[in-house]
Amino acid sequence: MTGWSSTLEPCSKSAKIPIPDIIKAMGSLHAFQTDDLRLKPIYEKVLVGERMDAADALTLYCTGDILAVGWMANSVRERMHGDKTYFNVNRHINPTNVCVAACRLCAFGRKKDVAGAYTMALEEAFETAASGYSEAVTEFHIVGGLHPDLPFQYFLDLCSGLKQRFPQVHLKAFTMVEVAYLARRAKLSIRETLEQLKASGVDSLPGGGAEIFADRVRHIICDHKIDGDQWLETAKLAHQIGLKSNATMLYGHVENDEDRVDHLMKLRALQDETGGFQTFIPLAFHPDNTALQHLPKTTGMLDIKQIAVSRLVLDNFPHVKSYWQMMTAKIAQISLRFGADDMDGTVIEEKIYHDAGATTPQGMRREELERLIRAAGRVPIERDTLYRPVTRTETSVTVAV
Ligand code: SF4
């Protein structure tokens, strides 16, 4: 982390541990320092790439030394990605906000007959996709409510219709919660449901709906959803049939540090098993217009710390994303020095978090996103959903394979 004093020595024990060249080089540029003695054993683990345990993760949440935590997360981030910072050009499609669940965390879902409820006819969904479409779009991000009447076939037709019209666009569609609900409605197993979605054109899953796995918290914020184990089981099945996914965590509501640690540990354990997660996305809770609107918004300190702890604990996740739509572009930019290597995309029209009071713009121009990344001393890399670099010229778009 540039700007740190280089006069302090690393903690004494670290001298006994063989230090990889890349870390030596980094150490000579940026010295680690902390007054929190609990962080020193963690620093030693970071130096040698040793895995954090749950107690370490809890210490990282508890400490007030955000710069020391950030130093460690940044060193891991640079070891993995150097200065590369990824973004993509995507378009969100939310086919319906009608939802049978009534999660207290949610400002998006509506019962079907109330004002503001909507469901797109298939043609309307295709028009929505086309209206924000340009050759630049490489991904459709598709999530919505749990509609009580829409048949499974609607979702299959939605995906196959989008694939037919936009064959080169990656479909990142449906949370584990939606998949489980569609399976129930269609009276299919989760695996069969995923297989049919894949056959209709779904290329990967976005990883939402994970919230916080702990039952105590889930009962308060989203007790109509599948539980944490079912979310993980659905993700596992998706990975087993070759669908990559992301994983999210909604933080900053009624959960505590132990709940966050538990969430990260469960994701890491599943990733050890399947290797199917691409990116971890911590989502800052936005309370406006939800049943939890008495809660305060997350602070910048918590947002930054969440990114850093995620990077340190989830050693088997290739990417950690700072989702600028939820944590603001400025915090997301700073987080590129605290462990994040991805800033999401130049989203066109996002509904879910804006219904919950997000005051960020609904989209960001590519030039602005690149400017923010460069100003953080990083190198912007446009990627597709699978993190293959996208190269553009005046007349063509190429995805490296
Ligand atoms: S969070 Fe999802 S499942 Fe819960 S009410 Fe909102 S749209 Fe429905």
Side-chain angles (χ1 to χ4, degrees):
M1 191 166 287
T2 52
W4 278 55
S5 161
S6 60
T7 54
L8 289 183
E9 293 296 320
C11 65
S12 56
K13 276 192 193 169
S14 65
K16 297 175 192 160
I17 299 169
I19 300 173
D21 287 345
I22 188 167
I23 302 296
K24 276 187 206 156
M26 213 159 48
S28 66
L29 290 172
H30 317 298
F32 176 80
Q33 57 177 304
T34 184
D35 294 329
D36 188 339
L37 294 179
R38 298 171 302 171
L39 294 180
K40 294 197 171 178
I42 297 177
Y43 166 65
E44 288 164 10
K45 286 187 172 181
V46 170
L47 282 182
V48 295
E50 192 179 328
R51 177 163 271 195
M52 304 285 134
D53 59 24
D56 297 328
L58 202 52
T59 300
L60 291 167
Y61 276 121
C62 292
T63 182
D65 194 347
I66 184 68
L67 291 181
V69 176
W71 188 99
M72 293 188 282
N74 189 56
S75 70
V76 172
R77 181 252 199 255
E78 291 185 353
R79 200 186 305 169
M80 294 174 80
H81 302 289
D83 281 330
K84 289 178 186 164
T85 295
Y86 299 95
F87 70 96
N88 70 345
V89 180
N90 63 6
R91 200 219 193 292
H92 283 216
I93 303 171
N94 305 122
T96 180
N97 65 352
V98 173
C99 190
V100 291
C103 302
R104 298 183 80 209
L105 61 84
C106 183
F108 172 73
R110 304 271 193 285
K111 296 300 171 207
K112 68 177 176 183
D113 298 322
V114 307
Y118 75 85
T119 300
M120 295 178 184
L122 284 174
E123 279 309 321
E124 202 181 338
F126 300 144
E127 277 164 28
T128 301
S131 71
Y133 183 76
S134 74
E135 286 300 313
V137 174
T138 58
E139 169 189 288
F140 290 138
H141 173 109
I142 307 166
V143 294
L146 311 179
H147 197 295
D149 305 323
L150 281 179
F152 185 37
Q153 193 60 44
Y154 168 92
F155 296 93
L156 299 177
D157 292 345
L158 173 67
C159 295
S160 58
L162 286 170
K163 264 291 175 219
Q164 206 176 15
R165 289 163 177 78
F166 309 96
Q168 71 283 21
V169 178
H170 182 107
L171 299 189
K172 188 179 74 182
F174 310 123
T175 65
M176 309 308 165
V177 177
E178 289 173 276
V179 171
Y181 182 71
L182 291 174
R184 213 176 81 200
R185 295 239 324 123
K187 298 189 172 42
L188 295 170
S189 69
I190 302 275
R191 181 184 285 272
E192 287 167 334
T193 306
L194 286 162
E195 281 168 347
Q196 290 198 29
L197 289 170
K198 187 180 178 193
S200 76
V202 170
D203 296 302
S204 70
L205 283 77
E211 320 308 2
I212 287 280
F213 293 140
D215 286 341
R216 178 188 64 79
V217 176
R218 250 178 141 75
H219 284 318
I220 298 169
I221 64 172
C222 59
D223 61 348
H224 299 107
K225 272 185 179 159
I226 55 173
D227 65 23
D229 288 345
Q230 289 168 314
W231 191 99
L232 289 161
E233 183 61 23
T234 306
K236 182 175 171 176
L237 288 165
H239 298 169
Q240 283 174 350
I241 68 160
L243 290 170
K244 294 275 185 190
S245 81
N246 295 331
T248 59
M249 177 173 94
L250 188 76
Y251 67 93
H253 39 85
V254 298
E255 89 286 6
N256 58 30
D257 291 341
E258 284 82 2
D259 298 323
R260 294 179 198 146
V261 171
D262 172 70
H263 192 92
L264 295 177
M265 290 292 158
K266 284 179 173 155
L267 286 175
R268 190 174 75 182
L270 180 56
Q271 178 74 334
D272 278 344
E273 204 180 326
T274 68
F277 289 120
Q278 296 200 112
T279 307
F280 179 66
I281 312 167
L283 300 172
F285 178 56
H286 280 259
D288 289 357
N289 306 320
T290 74
L292 299 170
Q293 61 186 344
H294 56 284
L295 296 177
K297 289 184 174 166
T298 63
T299 63
M301 283 290 278
L302 180 58
D303 292 337
I304 292 285
K305 185 181 274 187
Q306 183 54 56
I307 290 284
V309 177
S310 306
R311 181 62 286 165
L312 287 165
V313 174
L314 297 177
D315 53 10
N316 52 5
F317 271 62
H319 304 282
V320 172
K321 182 186 288 186
S322 52
Y323 189 36
W324 66 264
Q325 294 255 356
M326 289 190 84
M327 59 171 58
T328 76
K330 289 182 179 179
I331 294 287
Q333 180 196 31
I334 292 168
S335 75
L336 300 181
R337 291 268 155 193
F338 283 75
D341 64 279
D342 189 313
M343 268 190 82
D344 195 65
T346 58
V347 174
I348 301 163
E349 194 183 335
E350 191 286 323
K351 285 183 188 296
I352 294 176
Y353 305 116
H354 287 87
D355 281 355
T359 53
T360 49
Q362 292 224 347
M364 194 193 303
R365 286 173 51 241
R366 171 200 187 84
E367 294 74 21
E368 177 61 3
L369 200 56
E370 289 186 341
R371 187 181 76 86
L372 290 175
I373 293 169
R374 285 208 180 87
R378 300 304 195 195
V379 177
I381 309 275
E382 185 182 344
R383 62 165 177 87
D384 72 352
T385 313
L386 301 175
Y387 285 84
R388 296 173 300 191
V390 174
T391 309
R392 297 182 185 283
T393 66
E394 296 257 320
T395 54
S396 69
V397 180
T398 313
V399 176
V401 287

